[in-house]
């Protein structure tokens, strides 16, 4: 099968691309910043997002015993070794939880990469499913931001920020996910009038195609979207996820 020998993924942090803006996971990475202040090695701007199928509770409960994948280095494809990690918050179902995020280090490159579970988006507190639900409702035209935010249990301004960013990047995301859908053997998506609607339709088509590959269905559409964009679905990055996808190896979900 066409994609069986192509690890499907996620090692898609865009920061490895030369010239990409240096972004870090931001204020959520308190421990990482503390390490930098202590003079340890520079933390890579690159987050690797892996297609974690675990519920947030299960991930929290497993702590450091989560069966983390160990992908090759996104820059040089060499072996990565686990290299400490940090804790960050996520909010799921209205509840803040602290999760462990391991770091992987590449000795030849001298950098470390955060290994984020796909239920997170870089620099965002809320889980991908919460954000995706709001995006689907509002960008899909089903309702306004306020009722969607209330249903999701998040502040109005937060939800409004997600929708604005998603719409602002809608064309770029739509083109990228539509191309990915076709690459995965899925349906073609024609651009729609609203950028948000187009992006939503394209994410849906790409996920529908990916769901035919082992493991993706249970990961879910929004974790898939996070994995494919290296956690940058609604980041300010101007790097096209398609560009990144096209240059990266894919990391398959872990079989059940
Ligand atoms: Zn490397």
């Amino acid at each position: 099968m066409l994609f069986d020998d192509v690890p499907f993924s996620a090692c898609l942090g865009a920061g490895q691309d030369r010239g990409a803006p240096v972004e870090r996971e931001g204020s959520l990475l308190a421990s990482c910043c503390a390490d930098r202040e202590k003079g340890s090695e520079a933390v890579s701007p690159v987050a690797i997002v892996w297609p974690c199928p675990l519920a947030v509770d299960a991930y929290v409960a497993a702590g450091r015993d989560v069966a983390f994948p160990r992908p090759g280095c996104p820059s040089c494809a060499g072996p990565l070794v686990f290299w400490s990690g940090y804790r960050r918050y996520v909010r799921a179902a209205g509840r803040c939880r602290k999760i462990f995020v391991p770091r992987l280090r590449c000795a030849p490159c001298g950098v470390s990469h955060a290994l984020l579970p796909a239920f997170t988006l870089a620099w965002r507190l809320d889980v991908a499913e919460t954000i995706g639900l709001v995006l689907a409702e509002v960008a899909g035209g089903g309702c306004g931001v306020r009722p969607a935010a209330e249903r999701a249990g998040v502040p109005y301004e937060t939800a409004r920020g997600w929708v604005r960013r998603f719409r602002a990047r809608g064309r770029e995301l739509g083109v990228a996910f539509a191309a990915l859908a076709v690459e995965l053997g899925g349906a073609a998506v024609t651009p729609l009038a609203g950028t948000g609607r187009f992006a939503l339709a394209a994410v849906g088509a790409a996920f529908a195609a990916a769901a035919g590959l082992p493991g993706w269905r249970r990961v879910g559409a929004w974790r898939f979207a996070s994995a494919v964009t290296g956690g940058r679905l609604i980041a300010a990055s101007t790097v096209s996820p398609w560009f990144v996808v096209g240059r990266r190896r894919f990391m398959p979900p872990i079989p059940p």
Side-chain angles (χ1 to χ4, degrees):
M1 200 183 130
L2 185 57
F3 292 99
D4 270 354
D5 57 347
V6 182
F8 187 53
S9 165
C11 296
L12 313 158
Q16 338 51 341
D17 294 301
R18 283 156 192 77
V22 173
E23 291 182 291
R24 301 182 191 285
E25 215 200 345
S27 57
L28 297 172
L29 303 193
S31 63
C32 139
C33 297
D35 282 352
R36 291 210 321 279
E37 283 160 15
K38 280 186 281 180
S40 64
E41 69 178 327
V43 174
S44 162
V46 179
I48 297 173
V49 180
W50 68 281
C52 172
L54 296 174
V56 175
D57 281 349
Y59 184 98
V60 171
R64 291 171 183 249
D65 294 328
V66 169
F68 297 109
R70 201 172 66 175
C73 172
S75 301
C76 74
L80 294 173
V81 293
F82 284 102
W83 190 260
S84 83
Y86 61 92
R87 293 188 182 274
R88 64 105 97 190
Y89 286 99
V90 293
R91 182 166 57 193
R95 194 168 157 219
C96 281
R97 314 293 301 272
K98 219 169 189 181
I99 61 165
F100 175 69
V101 177
R103 262 187 256 157
L104 290 163
R105 184 171 186 275
C106 176
C109 294
V111 296
S112 66
H113 306 271
L115 188 64
L116 290 170
F119 58 77
T120 59
L121 288 175
W123 313 290
R124 301 287 173 175
L125 174 62
D126 292 283
V127 292
E129 285 87 349
T130 303
I131 294 172
L133 181 68
V134 169
L135 295 178
E137 286 189 330
V138 182
C143 69
V145 173
R146 200 170 293 280
E150 279 171 13
R151 267 198 291 280
V154 299
Y156 167 73
E157 292 77 11
T158 302
R160 186 182 57 187
W162 300 341
V163 174
R164 281 182 177 169
R165 180 60 61 70
F166 188 68
R167 283 180 171 147
R169 294 194 64 198
R171 179 148 300 280
E172 175 194 355
L173 289 168
V175 168
F177 276 96
L180 180 58
V182 169
E183 181 176 304
L184 296 177
V189 181
T190 10
L192 302 169
T195 55
R197 293 176 81 98
F198 174 41
L200 270 184
V203 169
F207 178 66
L213 303 173
W216 280 108
R217 187 173 299 281
R218 72 192 188 116
V219 170
W222 294 104
R223 292 190 189 197
F224 163 78
S226 178
V228 166
T229 58
R232 292 162 181 254
L233 182 70
I234 50 170
S237 169
T238 55
V239 176
S240 157
W242 164 245
F243 178 62
V244 176
V245 168
R247 291 181 49 196
R248 298 298 159 218
R249 297 181 307 121
F250 292 103
M251 188 198 305
I254 298 165

